[in-house]
Amino acid sequence: MCGIAGVLHFTPGRLADEAVLGTMTDRLAHRGPDGRGLHTEGPLGLGHRRLSIIDLSDDGRQPMSNEDGSILVVLNGEIYDFQRLRDELIGKGHTFRSRTDTEVLVHLYEEEGEAMLERLRGMFAFALWDGRRGRLLLARDRFGQKPLFYQLDHRGLRFASSLTSILADPEVSRTPDPVGIHLYLAYGYVPAPHTAFTGISKLPPGHSLSVDREGQSNLRRYWQFRLGPKFSVPDRASERRLEEELAEKLDEATRLRMVSDVPLGAFLSGGVDSSAVVASMVAAGTGPVRTFSIGFEEEAYDERAYAAEVARHLGTDHTDLVLRPEDAVPLDEIAWHYGEPFADASALPTFAVSKLAREHVTVALS
């Protein structure tokens, strides 16, 4: 999962405080238990907590730089087609020190600048420092799978993978935002770009934010989901071809997400979505697939029978867990992780199935 945090001060002569940066970064320890990295450079501070998935060696430590150290990056997420991009960049003369997907970002930025975002296929939130231009680039994946919060004012920029990390900086106000609270009461959550706190925003999905040393900023949408008809389906033969193409794309997307140097599994409810993902994992032929599900004693809410049937059909190594009323659910811990009001009760079984899966695997597809 990983977590990122950082700061860029605009006040001339002010240096990044490594102690504050360290506290912000350590608030993300649950996201990245395998390593901690800090870098301060004048007004800039970058922090990273690592969950090792690809290249488990020390070569995968972050922040990660290009050859001369002028470009630095911290990444939360995965770039799924990094191997293809890596081969392309090596062909253009770039030198890599690791086998990670993270290192692709610094070299791709050297080649294409911010236009690199349109080529990335993955789920990610990252911060990239361009030392030559004195500019920090924040970016979030197209659908916002990875979180990224920021606080920007005349004094500087702070960013992190969680609200609790940003709030670890004593200079950041904890004033509730009436608009954010109103949106929560209307929708049960606080939609981007708002948060429950005044002055703190979520970077919207498919957006980037670039900020320079003087405080000049630019929020840019680099991708737009386009609605509307895309295919003509005049007959059953055309429909079959589209069905085959959809299955091929699902299999390809699943294979890309299975690139890992650690054990992985999947959440399985027995519904169409999770069953299709697990079927694609099995079709990839990389070995036995571990699946996990949560059930309840109340029959109307219990999906274990469906999950077990799919698991038997696909031959997975299946584990389930029954949640009972007397089971201790750490509501305070869940609330701390969200950092702001959130009213979707599915957070409780999701937390439980994640905890169950983590006893056996490091990565779970869902």
Side-chain angles (χ1 to χ4, degrees), residues 168-209:
D169 188 328
E171 293 189 15
V172 175
S173 169
R174 294 170 176 252
T175 305
D177 181 5
V179 174
I181 301 302
H182 168 79
L183 290 168
Y184 162 70
L185 294 172
Y187 300 115
Y189 75 106
V190 185
H194 303 279
T195 72
F197 297 92
T198 299
I200 303 178
S201 302
K202 298 181 180 83
L203 186 65
H207 280 68
S208 66
L209 174 68

Side-chain angles (χ1 to χ4, degrees), residues 26-344:
D26 289 342
R27 288 279 179 93
L28 303 167
H30 61 286
R31 300 183 66 90
D34 298 330
R36 176 183 189 260
L38 299 178
H39 176 85
T40 56
E41 180 181 317
L44 171 76
L46 296 176
H48 185 260
R49 291 292 314 206
R50 184 186 184 197
L51 178 68
S52 302
I53 296 175
I54 298 172
D55 191 347
L56 309 185
S57 73
D58 284 347
D59 292 337
R61 291 174 305 187
Q62 298 185 39
M64 193 168 286
S65 71
N66 61 342
E67 294 91 336
D68 64 8
S70 61
I71 297 174
L72 293 160
V73 71
V74 285
L75 166 70
N76 165 32
E78 293 183 66
I79 309 302
Y80 296 133
D81 58 343
F82 78 96
Q83 291 165 322
R84 178 183 62 81
L85 293 171
R86 186 178 190 272
D87 291 343
E88 175 187 320
L89 291 163
I90 288 174
K92 292 181 177 180
H94 293 270
T95 302
F96 284 75
R97 296 190 292 266
S98 74
R99 295 185 296 105
T100 67
D101 51 344
T102 306
E103 195 172 1
V104 164
L105 296 177
V106 293
H107 297 297
L108 190 60
Y109 178 82
E110 285 182 299
E111 286 289 330
E112 303 186 14
E114 290 189 34
M116 66 180 282
L117 294 170
E118 295 162 25
R119 298 196 60 197
L120 296 180
R121 186 176 181 182
M123 57 174 181
F124 56 82
F126 68 79
L128 184 147
W129 172 248
D130 183 339
R132 297 190 189 100
R133 295 179 175 85
R135 183 173 62 188
L136 185 64
L137 174 67
L138 306 182
R140 193 176 180 200
D141 63 69
R142 296 178 180 187
F143 285 98
Q145 288 179 268
K146 291 299 179 182
L148 190 56
F149 301 85
Y150 69 95
Q151 187 256 347
L152 175 65
D153 59 25
H154 67 282
R155 299 172 301 168
L157 168 73
R158 294 161 180 83
F159 67 88
S161 298
S162 77
L163 281 166
T164 51
S165 176
I166 287 184
L167 294 172
D169 188 328
E171 293 189 15
V172 175
S173 169
R174 294 170 176 252
T175 305
D177 181 5
V179 174
I181 301 302
H182 168 79
L183 290 168
Y184 162 70
L185 294 172
Y187 300 115
Y189 75 106
V190 185
H194 303 279
T195 72
F197 297 92
T198 299
I200 303 178
S201 302
K202 298 181 180 83
L203 186 65
H207 280 68
S208 66
L209 174 68
S210 60
V211 183
D212 65 22
R213 286 194 186 100
E214 286 71 45
Q216 298 298 312
S217 64
N218 180 40
L219 180 65
R220 180 176 75 92
R221 183 169 200 157
Y222 69 84
W223 183 79
Q224 172 74 53
F225 184 70
R226 303 198 180 280
L227 301 172
K230 297 178 180 62
F231 301 102
S232 174
V233 190
D235 51 39
R236 179 55 184 154
S238 300
E239 188 175 342
R240 284 198 192 97
R241 284 195 294 273
L242 284 177
E243 289 171 354
E244 292 169 359
E245 184 180 352
L246 177 61
E248 290 170 0
K249 288 188 178 297
L250 178 60
D251 287 344
E252 180 201 22
T254 303
R255 284 196 305 272
L256 288 172
R257 284 155 178 78
M258 292 177 69
V259 176
S260 173
D261 293 331
V262 295
L264 56 83
F267 298 158
L268 178 62
S269 69
V272 172
D273 298 338
S274 66
S275 299
V277 169
V278 173
S280 288
M281 293 177 73
V282 172
T286 57
V289 175
R290 297 216 54 157
T291 53
F292 306 90
S293 65
I294 291 292
F296 304 92
E297 291 181 324
E298 296 83 358
E299 187 175 347
Y301 297 96
D302 191 19
E303 300 176 328
R304 283 177 298 150
Y306 303 111
E309 184 176 352
V310 172
R312 282 193 299 270
H313 176 70
L314 296 175
T316 72
D317 182 357
H318 188 63
T319 303
D320 62 29
L321 174 70
V322 178
L323 281 185
R324 297 179 173 83
E326 63 270 20
D327 291 334
V329 178
L331 289 175
D332 55 344
E333 184 178 351
I334 294 174
W336 187 87
H337 285 313
Y338 277 100
E340 63 182 355
F342 183 74
D344 186 348

